[in-house]
């Protein structure tokens, strides 16, 4: 627990815990929740000392960014919301609080608008009669598929179950509610079924400067199978999932989650020498990606660096790693 713990509002802790436990999940939803938490924390601050307020907000942001390591949307959202705190124009706690609260709202609004734009750009890639395969539960990917369907295209969707947490069930429910035809499939069947797939659309947790996409574990195998059959593989993502850190060569930390998501505690006790590896994400190389659908348009993966430079500027190399790497690969 952070030393400033007693000063954070309970709602901020709740949001942080829900992100850590994946009750709030999906890179975009995590970013929005973090922005909201910063707004709540700013509102709750009682003091009058501007430097103390800044320190307090930095500590809240540390709590939030420590929850999950892979989706860069989380630190990106936090830095964006807290940006006014480094402006010389802010001279009082009142001004600082107002600025953080308004940036938090603006981020949530931007994220919602971005999904709409992604849907509009992305739906053009889908054709009437297409079978589209999607993996895990990505609102960005779903928005593309749903938009195409709403515009009258007859789309069938293959949804992978997405072990170990089965987010494919959530995707199935969302798409069924819209009236789409769904086939829920185990991801182990993807290569066998790829001959029946016209396009793949998935989301992203992080897009690296070289155009590689970090997404739910299994994505890169799907991309490999699509590549083999020359099936187009699209990634739908907001630009706040592009990583400025990778511009200077930082490696995206891959989250390893607890063994209990894979096997029962009972089974582990029965076999004390059994070690379980449960990586939550993998990396799909840019060569396997036909296009990245963003709110700014559809870009080739190799243009990721241009987007990063445009949005974040050319990053300055620092001696400190911007984010800690918490991996259990034992
Ligand atoms: P949206 C999810 O991660 C999945 O990997 C999904 O593809 C990605 O976030 C993007 O989701 P997790 O939080 O932002 O389920 O498009 O581990 O909703």
């Amino acid at each position: 627990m952070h030393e400033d713990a007693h000063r954070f509002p309970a709602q901020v802790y709740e949001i942080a815990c829900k992100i850590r436990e994946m009750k709030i999940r999906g890179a975009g939803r995590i970013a929005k929740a973090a922005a909201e938490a910063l707004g709540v924390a700013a509102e709750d601050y009682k003091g009058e000392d501007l430097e103390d307020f800044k320190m307090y907000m930095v500590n809240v942001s540390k709590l939030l960014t420590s929850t999950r390591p892979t989706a860069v949307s989380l630190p990106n959202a936090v830095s964006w919301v807290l940006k006014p705190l480094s402006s010389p124009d802010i001279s009082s706690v009142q001004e600082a609080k107002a600025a953080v609260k308004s940036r938090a709202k603006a981020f949530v609004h931007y994220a919602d608008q971005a999904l709409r734009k992604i849907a509009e750009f992305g739906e053009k890639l889908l054709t009437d009669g297409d079978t589209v395969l999607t993996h895990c539960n990505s609102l960005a990917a779903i928005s593309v598929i749903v938009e195409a369907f709403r515009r009258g295209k007859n789309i069938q969707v293959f949804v992978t179950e997405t072990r170990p947490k089965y987010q494919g069930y959530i995707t199935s429910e969302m798409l069924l509610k819209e009236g789409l035809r769904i086939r829920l499939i185990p991801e182990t069947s993807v290569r066998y079924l790829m001959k029946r797939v016209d396009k793949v659309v998935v989301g992203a947790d992080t897009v690296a400067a070289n155009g590689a996409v970090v997404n739910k574990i299994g994505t890169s195998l799907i991309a490999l199978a699509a590549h083999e059959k020359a099936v187009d593989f699209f990634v739908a993502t907001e630009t706040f999932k592009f990583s400025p850190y990778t511009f200077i060569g930082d490696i995206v930390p891959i989250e390893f989650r607890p063994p209990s998501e894979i096997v029962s505690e009972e089974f582990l006790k029965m076999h004390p020498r059994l070690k379980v590896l449960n990586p939550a994400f993998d990396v799909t190389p840019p060569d396997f990606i036909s296009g990245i659908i963003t709110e700014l348009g559809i870009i080739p993966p190799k243009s990721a660096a241009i987007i990063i430079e445009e949005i974040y500027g050319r990053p300055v190399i620092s001696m400190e790693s911007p984010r800690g790497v918490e991996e259990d690969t034992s």
Side-chain angles (χ1 to χ4, degrees), residues 71-299:
V72 77
S73 52
L74 179 55
N76 278 351
V78 166
S79 322
W80 194 86
V81 171
L82 296 188
K83 198 160 181 222
L85 296 187
S86 51
S87 158
D89 299 339
I90 299 279
S91 58
S92 70
V93 169
Q94 277 64 36
E95 281 172 11
K97 279 172 82 163
V100 170
K101 283 186 335 192
S102 112
R103 293 278 281 195
K105 262 199 195 144
F107 181 85
V108 172
H109 179 72
Y110 183 90
D112 291 340
Q113 292 297 109
L115 276 185
R116 261 169 234 138
K117 287 265 169 223
I118 288 167
E120 280 167 27
F121 284 124
E123 75 83 21
K124 294 184 177 58
L125 298 168
L126 306 187
T127 312
D128 188 27
D130 271 353
T131 293
V132 178
L133 187 146
T134 192
H135 184 50
C136 196
N137 175 251
S138 157
L139 288 190
I142 288 171
S143 75
V144 169
I145 296 165
V146 167
E147 187 63 26
F149 181 72
R150 283 184 185 162
R151 291 188 188 209
K153 294 175 193 170
N154 178 19
I155 308 273
Q156 170 175 244
V157 191
F158 284 4
V159 179
T160 57
E161 286 179 307
T162 319
R163 268 189 58 84
K165 290 185 76 71
Y166 298 101
Q167 292 101 323
Y169 290 17
I170 309 171
T171 299
S172 298
E173 276 177 350
M174 287 178 169
L175 294 175
L176 284 170
K177 221 169 100 193
E178 290 288 333
L180 279 119
R181 278 182 304 134
I182 305 298
R183 298 285 179 272
L184 184 65
I185 61 168
E187 46 265 47
T188 38
S189 69
V190 162
R191 185 163 179 260
Y192 174 69
L193 291 173
M194 193 54 81
K195 54 183 175 284
R196 293 167 56 182
V197 173
D198 299 296
K199 274 140 207 165
V200 177
V201 183
V202 297
D205 290 80
T206 291
V207 179
N210 67 350
V213 167
V214 183
N215 192 49
K216 183 57 54 185
I217 192 77
T219 303
S220 67
L221 269 175
I222 296 170
L224 193 61
H227 187 72
E228 183 189 36
K229 288 263 182 319
V231 169
D232 272 331
F233 182 97
F234 296 108
V235 176
T237 173
E238 304 87 332
T239 54
F240 56 74
K241 295 174 191 158
F242 284 55
S243 166
Y245 311 113
T246 57
F247 202 92
I248 49 171
D250 257 41
I251 304 292
V252 178
I254 298 293
E255 176 182 15
F256 278 67
R257 297 194 53 88
S260 55
E261 287 182 356
I262 305 265
V263 289
S264 66
E265 298 289 350
E266 197 188 6
F267 192 76
L268 282 171
K269 272 192 200 127
M270 274 163 60
H271 304 284
R273 284 191 302 111
L274 178 71
K275 296 275 183 216
V276 174
L277 290 181
N278 182 17
F281 301 98
D282 64 21
V283 184
T284 299
D287 289 347
F288 293 176
I289 300 170
S290 314
I292 303 184
I293 310 159
T294 78
E295 73 276 20
L296 306 179
I298 301 165
I299 62 155

Side-chain angles (χ1 to χ4, degrees), residues 12-27 29-31 33-34 37 59-71 73-75 78 255-258 281 323-324 326:
V12 170
Y13 266 108
E14 237 168 68
I15 291 173
C17 287
K18 281 187 178 165
I19 296 175
R20 196 184 296 277
E21 291 161 10
M22 290 181 71
K23 287 180 184 138
I24 297 175
R25 48 145 300 280
R29 283 158 278 184
I30 290 171
N59 288 334
V60 172
S61 73
K62 281 185 185 160
L63 170 74
L64 293 167
T65 54
S66 70
T67 51
R68 294 195 70 196
T70 301
S73 52
L74 179 55
V78 166
E255 176 182 15
F256 278 67
R257 297 194 53 88
F281 301 98
R323 294 186 293 155
E326 277 178 48

